[in-house]
Amino acid sequence: MDFIFSDEQQAIREAVLKTCARFGDDYWTQRDREGGFPEELYQALAQDGWLGIAMPKEFGGSGLGITEGAILVQAVNEAGAGLSGGSAIGGNIFAPNVIVVYGTDEQKQRILPSLIRGEVRSAFAVTEPNTGLDTLKLRTRAVRDGDRYILNGRKVWISTAQVSQKMLILARTTPIDQVKRATDGLSLFYTDIDRRYVTVREIEKMGRKAVDSNELFIDNLPIPVGDRIGEEGRGFHCILHGLNPERILIAAGLVGIGRAALKRAAAYAGQRVVFDRPIGMNQGVQHPLAECWMELEAANLVAFKAATLYDQGQPCGSYANAAKYLAAQAAVKACETAVLTHGGFGYAKEYQVERYLREVLIHWIAPISPQLVKCFIAEKELGLPKSY
């Protein structure tokens, strides 16, 4: 395995860091205080072609892989944007991947170019209030009615729905008691968020105010048959091509925000003088920061192994989930350690590290809990009985 980025990959990283450097602490402090989608960053990345980094060239993309997408998201987070920046673009990389794999030529031509140009934003609507991670039990229903489906249901924790025109949504088209396997009977749609039928209610939350999280109430939303991605009843199988890349991008981004926090903590420790010496001379300060560096770098290796496996068409579920788990654990520790290293000033918004800590906690919880990751690994890699 090659542990070093190629010249092209390193150039991607450096170019993204350069673009993100235009958006400094004041910008992200304002977004954190006032909310509002980071449109300026989003359009800057779109203009440079980064939103289509993993999309085919024939539709305006760069034709690269999830590995390069992970490099992009990591650089945005690491540049200081944190999850306020990384989460704003991640969905544009992993969600359309399902359309690349399962969409028809007509769908690809109709959908992908506008996403790549940054003209259209799309939400990813899977999670529901009453089913959580038990995706196969979701209750949102889409009933066939001639050349359309009528969709009813609720979704929750749907990012960017306030500012998105489209959504990639999973719904049950055949009742679960009428299918042989619970994984059957779910269908995937890429369709309009038509606000005559969809009520979008924002959820006030702890951090990442710039990237809205929402509950969707859907009442009799008509969806053309042409908006269905893949075969009817095979939506769960399709969505897996979005879930594993999602976990990979999140893991890479978590390493990025961890690095950003660690960089600020190390700089502060080198400058802050107490008892006539910089606090960074004290092993009680050095050792926690050193541990964070090692744990972040280890998580990074797993994340990029998962990305490499995915891009090579090999099974990557265990590594994608493990990467998300390890990166979240390492990033939470790094952000907490950064706050503590700053002492009282770590609690001040001016130093950004308290924002990183508030933002990073979401990915210790979601999109898959640490407990369920361990259950998955125990079953798939250790051969233990399924526990969920």
Side-chain angles (χ1 to χ4, degrees):
M1 179 183 292
D2 189 350
F3 294 97
I4 301 174
F5 289 153
S6 67
D7 290 344
E8 181 184 31
Q9 290 170 333
Q10 188 61 38
I12 291 169
R13 174 179 163 80
E14 292 172 359
V16 174
L17 288 172
K18 184 177 179 180
T19 296
C20 292
R22 291 155 42 191
F23 303 90
D25 289 351
D26 290 344
Y27 179 83
W28 295 112
T29 297
Q30 184 179 16
R31 295 278 70 76
D32 182 56
R33 181 184 300 118
E34 301 175 4
F37 189 80
E39 187 69 33
E40 297 83 1
L41 173 70
Y42 186 84
Q43 291 302 328
L45 293 171
Q47 289 168 14
D48 291 340
W50 298 124
L51 297 185
I53 193 167
M55 297 293 104
K57 290 183 178 180
E58 59 263 38
F59 304 109
S62 300
L64 300 174
I66 292 300
T67 298
E68 287 74 22
I71 291 170
L72 164 63
V73 173
Q74 185 173 90
V76 172
N77 279 268
E78 189 174 338
L83 293 183
S84 291
S87 297
I89 64 167
N92 255 71
I93 299 170
F94 74 81
N97 193 63
V98 179
I99 298 165
V100 172
V101 176
Y102 289 103
T104 65
D105 290 341
E106 184 277 330
Q107 288 172 330
K108 294 174 188 178
Q109 188 61 56
R110 170 164 54 90
I111 295 168
L112 297 179
S114 59
L115 285 170
I116 291 167
R117 293 193 298 265
E119 298 167 355
V120 170
R121 281 190 287 274
S122 175
F124 190 56
V126 175
T127 306
E128 295 186 1
N130 297 314
T131 57
L133 292 171
D134 194 0
T135 304
L136 301 180
K137 299 285 182 63
L138 61 76
R139 300 178 184 179
T140 297
R141 285 292 314 278
V143 179
R144 182 73 178 260
D145 179 26
D147 60 355
R148 64 180 185 172
Y149 291 85
I150 303 299
L151 190 142
N152 287 276
R154 292 171 63 189
K155 297 290 182 179
V156 73
W157 293 115
I158 309 307
S159 297
T160 72
Q162 293 286 338
V163 295
S164 293
Q165 300 85 13
K166 298 283 188 175
M167 62 180 168
L168 190 66
I169 185 167
L170 189 66
R172 184 159 286 284
T173 44
T174 303
I176 194 168
D177 59 0
Q178 296 179 22
V179 295
K180 293 181 179 179
R181 296 174 298 180
T183 53
D184 294 336
L186 293 166
S187 297
L188 186 64
F189 304 90
Y190 180 85
T191 195
D192 293 329
I193 302 180
D194 189 332
R195 294 167 200 266
R196 293 174 299 175
Y197 306 95
V198 182
T199 300
V200 181
R201 182 178 300 167
E202 187 169 1
I203 300 169
E204 292 292 332
K205 57 188 188 297
M206 184 178 185
R208 209 191 66 175
K209 188 174 177 63
V211 180
D212 53 271
S213 298
N214 305 274
E215 189 167 9
L216 308 186
F217 300 85
I218 307 166
D219 296 300
N220 296 318
L221 173 68
I223 300 177
V225 170
D227 284 355
R228 190 188 69 228
I229 305 299
E231 299 177 33
E232 180 175 295
R234 298 284 294 172
F236 180 78
H237 305 276
C238 297
I239 210 74
L240 293 178
H241 276 276
L243 295 182
N244 285 329
E246 179 188 32
R247 284 148 174 63
I248 293 166
L249 296 180
I250 286 172
L254 285 166
V255 171
I257 193 173
R259 286 174 174 172
L262 195 60
K263 180 180 179 180
R264 288 178 183 269
Y268 185 83
Q271 298 167 2
R272 173 65 167 160
V273 175
V274 179
F275 299 119
D276 301 321
R277 54 190 277 155
I279 63 172
M281 287 183 67
N282 301 319
Q283 291 179 355
V285 174
Q286 289 182 352
H287 289 184
L289 295 174
E291 287 177 6
C292 290
W293 183 90
M294 291 186 281
E295 291 165 8
L296 286 168
E297 293 307 305
N300 195 52
L301 291 176
V302 179
F304 280 97
K305 177 169 184 176
T308 300
L309 289 171
Y310 182 86
D311 287 338
Q312 292 179 352
Q314 298 185 44
C316 69
S318 292
Y319 283 98
N321 280 282
K324 184 270 175 187
Y325 177 96
L326 294 170
Q329 189 175 56
V332 169
K333 181 177 176 179
C335 292
E336 179 187 33
T337 302
V339 170
L340 296 175
T341 302
H342 282 75
F345 287 112
Y347 209 62
K349 291 185 180 293
E350 174 186 356
Y351 289 83
Q352 300 296 314
V353 290
E354 63 83 31
R355 172 172 71 87
Y356 295 160
L357 180 58
R358 286 186 287 110
E359 290 183 353
V360 79
L361 286 172
I362 183 59
H363 284 318
W364 184 232
I365 305 167
I368 182 170
S369 70
Q371 293 81 12
L372 196 56
V373 169
K374 287 185 277 191
C375 290
F376 182 87
I377 298 299
E379 177 195 352
K380 302 298 183 182
E381 297 302 323
L382 303 179
L384 297 175
K386 186 173 182 178
S387 61
Y388 56 95

